[in-house]
Amino acid sequence: MLNPYTQILRLARSGSPERAWSLMAEHGLLDSASDPKALTLQARLVKDRAKRAGAGSGRARLFDQSAQLYARAAEIARSSYPLINAASLSLFAGKPAQARRFAEDVLDLIAADPAEGETPYWREATRAEALLLLDHEAEARAALGTAMARQPHAWEDHAATIQQFALILAEKGWDAAWLDMHRPPPSIHFSGITGLDPDASDVVAAIAQFIASERPGFAFGALAAGADLLFAEAFIAWRDAECPAAELHVVLPYPVDRFRQISVAAFGDRWTSRFDEALAQASTVTAYGLGDPTLPLAVDYADRVAMGRAVRNAQVLASRAIAVTVLGKGEGLRPQLAAWRDSGRSLTIIEAARSPVSRPSPDIARQSLQTFVWADQHTWSIHADLLSAATEARRLASAGTSGRAAILLAPGDPDDAPSPLLQRAAALAAVANPNTVVSDEPTAMALVLAGWDGTVEELGELPLPSGREPIWSVI
Protein backbone atom coordinates (compact mmCIF):
# COMPACT_ATOMS: atom_id res chain seq x y z
CA MET A 1 0.00 0.00 0.00
CA LEU A 2 1.43 3.38 -1.02
CA ASN A 3 1.78 6.00 1.71
CA PRO A 4 -0.46 9.05 1.21
CA TYR A 5 2.44 11.34 0.25
CA THR A 6 3.44 9.05 -2.61
CA GLN A 7 -0.17 8.65 -3.73
CA ILE A 8 -0.71 12.41 -3.75
CA LEU A 9 2.48 13.05 -5.72
CA ARG A 10 1.57 10.42 -8.30
CA LEU A 11 -1.90 11.86 -8.71
CA ALA A 12 -0.41 15.31 -9.21
CA ARG A 13 2.06 14.03 -11.81
CA SER A 14 -0.59 12.02 -13.66
CA GLY A 15 -2.83 15.03 -14.21
CA SER A 16 -5.33 14.42 -11.39
CA PRO A 17 -4.76 17.46 -9.16
CA GLU A 18 -8.34 17.54 -7.86
CA ARG A 19 -8.06 13.97 -6.59
CA ALA A 20 -4.66 14.75 -5.11
CA TRP A 21 -6.15 17.70 -3.23
CA SER A 22 -9.07 15.56 -2.03
CA LEU A 23 -6.66 12.90 -0.78
CA MET A 24 -4.70 15.53 1.16
CA ALA A 25 -7.94 16.70 2.78
CA GLU A 26 -8.95 13.11 3.51
CA HIS A 27 -5.68 12.49 5.39
CA GLY A 28 -5.78 15.83 7.21
CA LEU A 29 -2.66 17.12 5.45
CA LEU A 30 -3.91 20.52 4.29
CA ASP A 31 -2.56 23.67 5.99
CA SER A 32 -0.41 21.69 8.39
CA ALA A 33 1.14 23.53 11.29
CA SER A 34 4.00 21.07 11.80
CA ASP A 35 4.52 18.84 8.73
CA PRO A 36 6.89 20.43 6.18
CA LYS A 37 6.42 17.52 3.77
CA ALA A 38 2.66 18.06 3.69
CA LEU A 39 3.09 21.81 3.26
CA THR A 40 5.51 21.24 0.36
CA LEU A 41 3.05 18.89 -1.34
CA GLN A 42 0.21 21.37 -0.90
CA ALA A 43 2.42 24.14 -2.26
CA ARG A 44 3.21 21.98 -5.30
CA LEU A 45 -0.50 21.47 -6.02
CA VAL A 46 -1.24 25.19 -5.71
CA LYS A 47 1.74 25.99 -7.97
CA ASP A 48 0.46 23.55 -10.61
CA ARG A 49 -2.97 25.17 -10.36
CA ALA A 50 -1.36 28.58 -10.96
CA LYS A 51 0.47 27.29 -14.04
CA ARG A 52 -2.81 26.03 -15.49
CA ALA A 53 -4.60 29.32 -14.77
CA GLY A 54 -4.80 32.05 -17.36
CA ALA A 55 -2.84 35.25 -17.03
CA GLY A 56 -4.24 37.72 -14.53
CA SER A 57 -4.56 38.49 -10.86
CA GLY A 58 -5.95 35.05 -10.07
CA ARG A 59 -2.77 33.40 -11.28
CA ALA A 60 -0.58 35.81 -9.31
CA ARG A 61 -2.63 35.13 -6.19
CA LEU A 62 -2.12 31.38 -6.56
CA PHE A 63 1.62 31.80 -7.06
CA ASP A 64 1.77 33.90 -3.90
CA GLN A 65 -0.30 31.35 -1.99
CA SER A 66 2.12 28.62 -3.06
CA ALA A 67 5.09 30.78 -2.09
CA GLN A 68 3.68 31.28 1.43
CA LEU A 69 3.15 27.53 1.85
CA TYR A 70 6.73 26.82 0.76
CA ALA A 71 7.96 29.53 3.14
CA ARG A 72 6.11 27.93 6.06
CA ALA A 73 7.64 24.55 5.19
CA ALA A 74 11.11 26.13 5.09
CA GLU A 75 10.55 27.77 8.46
CA ILE A 76 9.77 24.40 10.04
CA ALA A 77 12.42 22.32 8.24
CA ARG A 78 15.13 25.00 7.84
CA SER A 79 15.71 23.78 4.30
CA SER A 80 16.76 25.68 1.18
CA TYR A 81 14.55 23.62 -1.16
CA PRO A 82 11.16 25.03 -0.08
CA LEU A 83 12.72 28.44 0.55
CA ILE A 84 14.10 28.86 -2.99
CA ASN A 85 10.70 27.81 -4.33
CA ALA A 86 9.10 30.50 -2.18
CA ALA A 87 11.54 33.04 -3.61
CA SER A 88 10.96 32.22 -7.30
CA LEU A 89 7.20 31.92 -6.93
CA SER A 90 7.11 35.32 -5.23
CA LEU A 91 8.69 36.77 -8.37
CA PHE A 92 6.04 35.07 -10.54
CA ALA A 93 3.39 36.46 -8.18
CA GLY A 94 4.55 39.99 -8.95
CA LYS A 95 6.22 40.52 -5.57
CA PRO A 96 9.90 41.17 -6.36
CA ALA A 97 10.70 42.57 -2.91
CA GLN A 98 9.38 39.39 -1.27
CA ALA A 99 11.36 37.33 -3.77
CA ARG A 100 14.55 39.19 -2.87
CA ARG A 101 13.96 38.72 0.85
CA PHE A 102 13.49 34.97 0.47
CA ALA A 103 16.51 34.75 -1.88
CA GLU A 104 18.71 36.52 0.67
CA ASP A 105 17.49 34.06 3.32
CA VAL A 106 18.49 31.18 1.00
CA LEU A 107 22.04 32.53 0.68
CA ASP A 108 22.30 33.01 4.44
CA LEU A 109 21.04 29.46 5.05
CA ILE A 110 23.56 27.96 2.60
CA ALA A 111 26.43 30.02 3.99
CA ALA A 112 25.64 28.94 7.56
CA ASP A 113 25.47 25.21 6.80
CA PRO A 114 28.16 23.58 4.61
CA ALA A 115 26.00 20.43 4.33
CA GLU A 116 22.89 22.28 3.17
CA GLY A 117 21.33 20.87 0.01
CA GLU A 118 20.34 17.36 -1.06
CA THR A 119 23.48 16.95 -3.21
CA PRO A 120 26.54 19.07 -4.09
CA TYR A 121 24.78 19.91 -7.34
CA TRP A 122 21.58 21.15 -5.71
CA ARG A 123 23.47 23.20 -3.12
CA GLU A 124 25.29 25.21 -5.79
CA ALA A 125 22.32 25.31 -8.20
CA THR A 126 20.11 26.69 -5.42
CA ARG A 127 22.73 29.34 -4.68
CA ALA A 128 22.80 30.20 -8.39
CA GLU A 129 19.02 30.60 -8.48
CA ALA A 130 19.06 32.88 -5.45
CA LEU A 131 21.77 35.02 -7.07
CA LEU A 132 19.72 35.28 -10.25
CA LEU A 133 16.67 36.41 -8.27
CA LEU A 134 18.88 39.10 -6.69
CA ASP A 135 19.90 40.32 -10.18
CA HIS A 136 23.49 39.08 -9.83
CA GLU A 137 23.43 37.41 -13.24
CA ALA A 138 27.18 37.03 -13.76
CA GLU A 139 27.58 35.38 -10.36
CA ALA A 140 24.55 33.18 -11.05
CA ARG A 141 26.08 31.99 -14.33
CA ALA A 142 29.34 31.13 -12.58
CA ALA A 143 27.55 29.29 -9.77
CA LEU A 144 25.47 27.29 -12.24
CA GLY A 145 28.63 26.30 -14.11
CA THR A 146 30.17 25.17 -10.80
CA ALA A 147 27.06 23.15 -9.96
CA MET A 148 27.12 21.29 -13.27
CA ALA A 149 30.85 20.63 -13.01
CA ARG A 150 30.31 18.98 -9.64
CA GLN A 151 27.83 16.45 -11.06
CA PRO A 152 28.22 16.67 -14.84
CA HIS A 153 25.93 13.76 -15.63
CA ALA A 154 23.01 14.59 -13.31
CA TRP A 155 21.04 15.42 -16.44
CA GLU A 156 17.53 15.34 -15.00
CA ASP A 157 18.61 17.74 -12.26
CA HIS A 158 20.24 19.98 -14.85
CA ALA A 159 17.04 20.01 -16.92
CA ALA A 160 14.90 21.03 -13.93
CA THR A 161 17.27 23.91 -13.16
CA ILE A 162 17.38 25.12 -16.76
CA GLN A 163 13.59 25.14 -16.97
CA GLN A 164 13.36 27.16 -13.74
CA PHE A 165 16.06 29.61 -14.83
CA ALA A 166 14.29 30.10 -18.17
CA LEU A 167 11.09 31.09 -16.35
CA ILE A 168 12.95 33.54 -14.11
CA LEU A 169 14.81 35.11 -17.04
CA ALA A 170 11.55 35.44 -18.99
CA GLU A 171 9.88 37.11 -15.99
CA LYS A 172 12.76 39.58 -15.82
CA GLY A 173 12.78 40.10 -19.57
CA TRP A 174 16.40 38.96 -19.87
CA ASP A 175 18.05 36.88 -22.61
CA ALA A 176 18.08 33.15 -21.84
CA ALA A 177 20.27 32.00 -24.77
CA TRP A 178 23.23 31.35 -22.45
CA LEU A 179 21.32 28.45 -20.87
CA ASP A 180 21.71 26.41 -24.07
CA MET A 181 25.33 25.57 -23.27
CA HIS A 182 24.15 23.76 -20.14
CA ARG A 183 21.35 21.70 -21.69
CA PRO A 184 21.61 17.89 -21.42
CA PRO A 185 22.77 16.08 -24.56
CA PRO A 186 20.33 15.05 -27.28
CA SER A 187 18.44 11.77 -27.49
CA ILE A 188 18.91 9.93 -30.77
CA HIS A 189 16.81 7.37 -32.59
CA PHE A 190 18.94 5.32 -34.96
CA SER A 191 17.81 3.02 -37.75
CA GLY A 192 18.68 1.95 -41.28
CA ILE A 193 18.89 -0.73 -43.89
CA THR A 194 20.03 -4.31 -43.49
CA GLY A 195 22.17 -6.01 -46.09
CA LEU A 196 25.21 -3.76 -45.67
CA ASP A 197 28.77 -4.99 -45.99
CA PRO A 198 30.07 -5.64 -42.44
CA ASP A 199 33.12 -3.50 -43.31
CA ALA A 200 31.23 -0.59 -44.89
CA SER A 201 33.92 1.99 -44.05
CA ASP A 202 32.13 4.90 -45.72
CA VAL A 203 28.98 4.32 -43.64
CA VAL A 204 31.01 3.81 -40.46
CA ALA A 205 32.86 7.09 -41.08
CA ALA A 206 29.62 9.00 -41.70
CA ILE A 207 28.05 7.61 -38.52
CA ALA A 208 31.17 8.45 -36.48
CA GLN A 209 31.13 12.01 -37.84
CA PHE A 210 27.46 12.36 -36.94
CA ILE A 211 28.03 11.13 -33.38
CA ALA A 212 31.08 13.37 -32.88
CA SER A 213 29.07 16.37 -34.08
CA GLU A 214 25.90 15.75 -32.05
CA ARG A 215 27.50 14.22 -28.93
CA PRO A 216 24.37 12.29 -27.91
CA GLY A 217 23.75 11.20 -24.36
CA PHE A 218 21.12 8.61 -25.27
CA ALA A 219 20.58 6.32 -28.26
CA PHE A 220 17.43 4.28 -28.95
CA GLY A 221 17.08 1.63 -31.65
CA ALA A 222 17.42 -2.02 -32.65
CA LEU A 223 20.50 -4.11 -33.50
CA ALA A 224 19.76 -5.65 -36.89
CA ALA A 225 22.72 -6.66 -39.07
CA GLY A 226 23.69 -3.59 -41.06
CA ALA A 227 23.06 0.04 -40.16
CA ASP A 228 21.72 -0.66 -36.65
CA LEU A 229 24.80 -2.55 -35.54
CA LEU A 230 27.20 -0.17 -37.25
CA PHE A 231 25.63 2.73 -35.37
CA ALA A 232 25.56 0.87 -32.04
CA GLU A 233 29.24 -0.05 -32.35
CA ALA A 234 30.21 3.52 -33.20
CA PHE A 235 28.14 4.86 -30.32
CA ILE A 236 29.69 2.41 -27.85
CA ALA A 237 33.21 3.34 -29.02
CA TRP A 238 32.43 7.06 -28.68
CA ARG A 239 30.81 6.53 -25.28
CA ASP A 240 33.82 4.65 -23.95
CA ALA A 241 36.20 7.34 -25.18
CA GLU A 242 34.23 10.54 -24.62
CA CYS A 243 31.13 10.13 -22.44
CA PRO A 244 30.97 7.10 -20.12
CA ALA A 245 27.52 8.17 -18.87
CA ALA A 246 25.94 7.94 -22.34
CA GLU A 247 23.24 5.27 -22.59
CA LEU A 248 22.39 2.76 -25.34
CA HIS A 249 18.78 1.59 -25.14
CA VAL A 250 18.05 -1.39 -27.38
CA VAL A 251 14.46 -1.97 -28.50
CA LEU A 252 13.91 -5.24 -30.39
CA PRO A 253 10.78 -6.20 -32.34
CA TYR A 254 11.11 -9.86 -31.27
CA PRO A 255 12.54 -11.80 -28.32
CA VAL A 256 16.34 -11.84 -28.45
CA ASP A 257 16.89 -15.38 -29.77
CA ARG A 258 14.37 -15.01 -32.57
CA PHE A 259 15.64 -11.55 -33.48
CA ARG A 260 19.21 -12.89 -33.62
CA GLN A 261 18.09 -15.62 -36.01
CA ILE A 262 15.89 -13.50 -38.32
CA SER A 263 17.60 -10.12 -38.35
CA VAL A 264 21.24 -10.95 -37.62
CA ALA A 265 22.36 -14.50 -38.44
CA ALA A 266 20.38 -14.48 -41.69
CA PHE A 267 22.91 -11.95 -43.03
CA GLY A 268 26.04 -13.93 -42.24
CA ASP A 269 27.91 -15.35 -39.28
CA ARG A 270 30.20 -12.32 -39.03
CA TRP A 271 27.31 -10.27 -37.66
CA THR A 272 26.30 -12.63 -34.86
CA SER A 273 29.21 -12.08 -32.48
CA ARG A 274 28.98 -8.33 -33.07
CA PHE A 275 25.30 -8.44 -32.14
CA ASP A 276 26.03 -10.30 -28.90
CA GLU A 277 28.82 -7.89 -27.97
CA ALA A 278 26.67 -4.80 -28.58
CA LEU A 279 23.73 -6.33 -26.72
CA ALA A 280 25.95 -7.00 -23.70
CA GLN A 281 26.97 -3.33 -23.57
CA ALA A 282 23.45 -1.90 -23.80
CA SER A 283 22.11 0.08 -20.86
CA THR A 284 18.68 -1.53 -21.32
CA VAL A 285 17.22 -4.17 -23.64
CA THR A 286 13.49 -4.41 -24.34
CA ALA A 287 12.05 -7.08 -26.63
CA TYR A 288 8.52 -7.31 -28.00
CA GLY A 289 6.90 -9.62 -30.55
CA LEU A 290 4.05 -10.98 -28.44
CA GLY A 291 1.35 -12.45 -30.65
CA ASP A 292 3.96 -13.35 -33.27
CA PRO A 293 3.39 -10.46 -35.69
CA THR A 294 4.98 -10.39 -39.13
CA LEU A 295 8.43 -8.80 -39.30
CA PRO A 296 7.38 -5.49 -40.93
CA LEU A 297 4.60 -5.09 -38.36
CA ALA A 298 6.88 -5.99 -35.45
CA VAL A 299 9.50 -3.50 -36.70
CA ASP A 300 6.86 -0.78 -37.09
CA TYR A 301 5.70 -1.35 -33.50
CA ALA A 302 9.22 -1.38 -32.02
CA ASP A 303 10.21 1.68 -34.04
CA ARG A 304 7.29 3.69 -32.69
CA VAL A 305 8.25 2.75 -29.15
CA ALA A 306 11.95 3.55 -29.61
CA MET A 307 11.21 6.85 -31.33
CA GLY A 308 8.70 7.76 -28.64
CA ARG A 309 11.25 6.99 -25.95
CA ALA A 310 13.75 9.31 -27.60
CA VAL A 311 11.17 12.10 -27.76
CA ARG A 312 10.03 11.51 -24.20
CA ASN A 313 13.58 11.48 -22.86
CA ALA A 314 14.31 14.74 -24.62
CA GLN A 315 11.13 16.29 -23.20
CA VAL A 316 12.04 15.27 -19.66
CA LEU A 317 15.56 16.65 -20.07
CA ALA A 318 14.52 19.86 -21.87
CA SER A 319 16.82 18.79 -24.68
CA ARG A 320 16.49 17.67 -28.33
CA ALA A 321 15.28 14.49 -30.00
CA ILE A 322 17.01 13.80 -33.30
CA ALA A 323 17.13 10.84 -35.66
CA VAL A 324 19.67 9.32 -38.00
CA THR A 325 19.00 6.65 -40.59
CA VAL A 326 21.03 4.83 -43.22
CA LEU A 327 19.03 4.72 -46.43
CA GLY A 328 19.62 2.63 -49.54
CA LYS A 329 20.57 4.78 -52.52
CA GLY A 330 17.44 5.75 -54.42
CA GLU A 331 15.11 4.40 -51.70
CA GLY A 332 12.39 6.37 -49.96
CA LEU A 333 11.92 6.94 -46.24
CA ARG A 334 9.78 4.57 -44.22
CA PRO A 335 6.50 6.19 -43.05
CA GLN A 336 7.67 6.51 -39.44
CA LEU A 337 10.75 8.50 -40.47
CA ALA A 338 8.86 10.62 -42.97
CA ALA A 339 6.40 11.53 -40.21
CA TRP A 340 9.33 12.36 -37.90
CA ARG A 341 10.83 14.71 -40.49
CA ASP A 342 7.47 16.26 -41.37
CA SER A 343 6.85 17.06 -37.70
CA GLY A 344 9.86 19.39 -37.79
CA ARG A 345 12.27 17.13 -35.90
CA SER A 346 15.84 16.78 -37.08
CA LEU A 347 16.59 13.79 -39.34
CA THR A 348 20.03 12.99 -40.78
CA ILE A 349 20.09 10.64 -43.77
CA ILE A 350 23.20 8.66 -44.68
CA GLU A 351 23.00 6.96 -48.07
CA ALA A 352 24.59 3.57 -48.68
CA ALA A 353 24.61 0.72 -51.18
CA ARG A 354 23.02 -2.55 -50.12
CA SER A 355 24.96 -5.79 -50.42
CA PRO A 356 23.30 -8.57 -52.45
CA VAL A 357 22.39 -10.69 -49.42
CA SER A 358 19.18 -12.71 -49.52
CA ARG A 359 16.86 -13.07 -46.58
CA PRO A 360 13.57 -14.86 -45.92
CA SER A 361 10.52 -13.01 -47.19
CA PRO A 362 8.15 -11.99 -44.40
CA ASP A 363 4.83 -13.77 -44.10
CA ILE A 364 1.76 -11.91 -45.26
CA ALA A 365 -1.04 -11.58 -42.72
CA ARG A 366 -4.18 -9.53 -42.18
CA GLN A 367 -2.79 -8.04 -39.02
CA SER A 368 -1.99 -4.34 -38.72
CA LEU A 369 -1.24 -2.02 -35.84
CA GLN A 370 -4.48 -1.26 -34.03
CA THR A 371 -5.38 0.54 -30.83
CA PHE A 372 -7.75 -1.27 -28.50
CA VAL A 373 -9.89 0.83 -26.16
CA TRP A 374 -11.54 -0.72 -23.11
CA ALA A 375 -13.88 1.13 -20.73
CA ASP A 376 -14.98 -0.09 -17.34
CA GLN A 377 -18.53 -0.32 -18.64
CA HIS A 378 -17.19 -3.46 -20.37
CA THR A 379 -17.29 -1.81 -23.77
CA TRP A 380 -14.43 -2.01 -26.23
CA SER A 381 -13.55 -0.75 -29.68
CA ILE A 382 -10.74 -1.03 -32.22
CA HIS A 383 -9.19 2.02 -33.90
CA ALA A 384 -6.72 2.31 -36.76
CA ASP A 385 -5.65 5.79 -35.61
CA LEU A 386 -3.87 6.03 -32.26
CA LEU A 387 -4.77 9.64 -31.47
CA SER A 388 -8.45 9.08 -32.28
CA ALA A 389 -8.44 6.06 -29.99
CA ALA A 390 -6.89 8.09 -27.15
CA THR A 391 -9.47 10.83 -27.61
CA GLU A 392 -12.28 8.26 -27.42
CA ALA A 393 -10.75 6.68 -24.31
CA ARG A 394 -10.58 10.08 -22.64
CA ARG A 395 -14.24 10.71 -23.47
CA LEU A 396 -15.26 7.36 -21.97
CA ALA A 397 -13.20 7.93 -18.83
CA SER A 398 -14.75 11.36 -18.26
CA ALA A 399 -18.31 10.00 -18.54
CA GLY A 400 -19.87 9.79 -15.07
CA THR A 401 -18.09 10.13 -11.77
CA SER A 402 -15.89 7.03 -11.82
CA GLY A 403 -15.10 6.34 -15.45
CA ARG A 404 -11.98 4.34 -16.23
CA ALA A 405 -10.49 3.41 -19.57
CA ALA A 406 -7.40 1.76 -21.01
CA ILE A 407 -5.80 1.82 -24.43
CA LEU A 408 -3.33 -0.61 -25.99
CA LEU A 409 -1.44 -0.31 -29.25
CA ALA A 410 -0.81 -3.79 -30.59
CA PRO A 411 -0.73 -5.87 -33.77
CA GLY A 412 -4.19 -7.26 -34.39
CA ASP A 413 -6.95 -8.09 -36.80
CA PRO A 414 -9.03 -4.92 -37.37
CA ASP A 415 -12.21 -7.01 -37.37
CA ASP A 416 -11.52 -9.26 -34.42
CA ALA A 417 -9.89 -8.28 -31.12
CA PRO A 418 -7.82 -11.17 -29.71
CA SER A 419 -9.07 -12.30 -26.32
CA PRO A 420 -5.67 -11.92 -24.58
CA LEU A 421 -5.49 -8.27 -25.66
CA LEU A 422 -8.96 -7.53 -24.36
CA GLN A 423 -8.13 -9.25 -21.08
CA ARG A 424 -4.97 -7.16 -20.81
CA ALA A 425 -6.87 -3.93 -21.54
CA ALA A 426 -9.48 -4.85 -18.95
CA ALA A 427 -6.77 -5.51 -16.36
CA LEU A 428 -5.24 -2.12 -17.08
CA ALA A 429 -8.57 -0.31 -16.76
CA ALA A 430 -9.21 -2.06 -13.46
CA VAL A 431 -6.19 -0.40 -11.81
CA ALA A 432 -6.92 3.08 -13.20
CA ASN A 433 -8.00 5.91 -10.97
CA PRO A 434 -11.51 7.28 -11.62
CA ASN A 435 -11.78 9.55 -14.67
CA THR A 436 -8.39 8.51 -16.01
CA VAL A 437 -7.02 6.62 -19.00
CA VAL A 438 -4.10 4.25 -18.56
CA SER A 439 -1.88 2.36 -20.96
CA ASP A 440 1.22 0.23 -21.02
CA GLU A 441 4.58 1.84 -21.67
CA PRO A 442 4.80 1.09 -25.43
CA THR A 443 1.41 2.71 -26.06
CA ALA A 444 2.38 5.75 -23.98
CA MET A 445 5.60 6.18 -25.96
CA ALA A 446 3.75 5.84 -29.27
CA LEU A 447 1.37 8.57 -28.09
CA VAL A 448 4.29 10.84 -27.23
CA LEU A 449 5.68 10.28 -30.72
CA ALA A 450 2.28 11.03 -32.26
CA GLY A 451 2.05 14.36 -30.42
CA TRP A 452 -0.71 13.54 -27.91
CA ASP A 453 -2.01 16.74 -26.34
CA GLY A 454 -2.74 15.23 -22.94
CA THR A 455 -0.64 14.37 -19.92
CA VAL A 456 1.63 11.34 -20.24
CA GLU A 457 3.05 10.26 -16.89
CA GLU A 458 4.30 7.01 -15.41
CA LEU A 459 2.20 5.86 -12.46
CA GLY A 460 4.66 3.24 -11.26
CA GLU A 461 4.65 -0.53 -11.36
CA LEU A 462 1.33 -2.18 -10.71
CA PRO A 463 0.33 -5.85 -10.56
CA LEU A 464 -1.30 -7.30 -13.66
CA PRO A 465 -2.04 -10.92 -14.57
CA SER A 466 1.11 -10.78 -16.73
CA GLY A 467 3.21 -9.68 -13.74
CA ARG A 468 4.38 -6.34 -12.40
CA GLU A 469 5.01 -3.75 -15.11
CA PRO A 470 5.00 0.02 -15.59
CA ILE A 471 1.58 1.63 -15.99
CA TRP A 472 1.14 5.04 -17.57
CA SER A 473 -1.53 7.70 -17.33
CA VAL A 474 -2.38 9.25 -20.71
CA ILE A 475 -5.30 11.52 -19.89
Side-chain angles (χ1 to χ4, degrees):
M1 178 68 68
L2 297 176
N3 68 56
Y5 299 102
T6 302
Q7 286 180 290
I8 292 162
L9 189 57
R10 284 188 177 177
L11 285 168
R13 287 174 174 169
S14 66
S16 301
E18 293 80 10
R19 293 202 70 249
W21 191 270
S22 296
L23 193 59
M24 286 202 76
E26 182 181 320
H27 287 278
L29 297 175
L30 292 176
D31 300 315
S32 174
S34 59
D35 186 347
K37 194 171 183 179
L39 285 167
T40 300
L41 267 177
Q42 185 178 351
R44 154 73 185 266
L45 292 176
V46 176
K47 176 177 67 175
D48 290 348
R49 188 182 298 170
K51 289 180 177 179
R52 293 193 303 273
S57 59
R59 187 179 192 188
R61 178 182 54 78
L62 287 169
F63 274 133
D64 187 45
Q65 182 182 341
S66 180
Q68 298 304 327
L69 288 165
Y70 274 122
R72 282 163 54 191
E75 198 173 310
I76 297 169
R78 297 299 300 160
S79 169
S80 63
Y81 167 73
L83 193 55
I84 194 62
N85 273 281
S88 294
L89 289 168
S90 294
L91 179 68
F92 304 151
K95 294 188 172 183
Q98 180 173 285
R100 294 181 67 86
R101 186 172 72 253
F102 285 143
E104 288 167 352
D105 290 344
V106 167
L107 294 179
D108 290 343
L109 187 60
I110 290 174
D113 182 2
E116 168 56 36
E118 293 181 8
T119 65
Y121 170 81
W122 279 118
R123 174 184 171 84
E124 198 63 21
T126 299
R127 195 172 79 85
E129 187 172 341
L131 289 167
L132 189 62
L133 290 166
L134 291 168
D135 297 338
H136 303 317
E137 186 178 9
E139 293 177 66
R141 288 195 190 197
L144 184 59
T146 300
M148 293 191 170
R150 287 181 175 174
Q151 290 185 257
H153 301 131
W155 287 321
E156 287 195 32
D157 293 344
H158 296 181
T161 300
I162 289 169
Q163 290 171 325
Q164 183 74 345
F165 272 45
L167 292 173
I168 293 170
L169 290 167
E171 188 71 26
K172 289 178 175 289
W174 296 354
D175 181 29
W178 62 271
L179 291 174
D180 290 342
M181 72 179 73
H182 297 299
R183 291 190 184 278
S187 299
I188 286 182
H189 176 261
F190 63 93
S191 63
I193 59 174
T194 54
L196 285 174
D197 187 303
D199 302 314
S201 58
D202 56 337
V203 177
V204 171
I207 291 172
Q209 182 179 1
F210 170 83
I211 292 173
S213 173
E214 295 294 348
R215 302 186 63 81
F218 314 87
F220 301 81
L223 293 179
D228 287 356
L229 269 172
L230 293 180
F231 181 92
E233 290 172 341
F235 180 81
I236 290 167
W238 176 82
R239 177 192 70 186
D240 293 346
E242 300 285 342
C243 186
E247 301 173 5
L248 173 62
H249 298 279
V250 172
V251 182
L252 302 179
Y254 287 124
V256 172
D257 289 344
R258 187 174 180 204
F259 182 83
R260 184 190 289 109
Q261 176 188 5
I262 293 175
S263 297
V264 183
F267 294 91
D269 293 340
R270 283 198 293 171
W271 289 107
T272 307
S273 60
R274 293 167 69 168
F275 169 81
D276 291 335
E277 289 172 11
L279 194 73
Q281 297 193 60
S283 303
T284 64
V285 178
T286 309
Y288 296 108
L290 297 177
D292 198 26
T294 61
L295 182 61
L297 195 57
V299 169
D300 184 3
Y301 180 82
D303 265 357
R304 294 194 196 199
V305 177
M307 295 167 91
R309 285 183 179 174
V311 173
R312 174 69 179 182
N313 199 59
Q315 289 174 346
V316 169
L317 297 182
S319 183
R320 295 183 300 135
I322 59 182
V324 60
T325 190
V326 178
L327 194 64
K329 290 181 179 178
E331 298 179 10
L333 286 172
R334 288 180 295 134
Q336 303 98 306
L337 290 169
W340 178 285
R341 180 195 58 193
D342 294 345
S343 71
R345 298 188 180 105
S346 172
L347 171 63
T348 295
I349 298 173
I350 299 170
E351 287 195 330
R354 288 184 187 266
S355 296
V357 178
S358 63
R359 59 170 303 155
S361 298
D363 294 332
I364 304 297
R366 288 193 72 252
Q367 284 190 335
S368 58
L369 281 185
Q370 305 291 328
T371 306
F372 299 84
V373 175
W374 176 277
D376 62 357
Q377 298 91 343
H378 301 286
T379 60
W380 60 270
S381 56
I382 305 176
H383 303 256
D385 182 73
L386 177 62
L387 291 178
S388 297
T391 300
E392 173 64 7
R394 182 161 58 186
R395 184 190 68 79
L396 291 169
S398 62
T401 58
S402 59
R404 295 175 174 86
I407 61 171
L408 282 176
L409 178 70
D413 186 329
D415 298 321
D416 183 22
S419 179
L421 278 176
L422 291 181
Q423 291 171 1
R424 181 173 167 76
L428 280 169
V431 299
N433 291 314
N435 306 119
T436 61
V437 180
V438 296
S439 75
D440 59 4
E441 190 258 0
T443 305
M445 294 304 99
L447 276 167
V448 168
L449 176 65
W452 174 239
D453 64 357
T455 301
V456 179
E457 291 290 345
E458 186 175 2
L459 296 176
E461 285 193 345
L462 294 176
L464 291 173
S466 56
R468 296 189 67 85
E469 62 175 280
I471 304 299
W472 288 68
S473 165
V474 293
I475 61 172

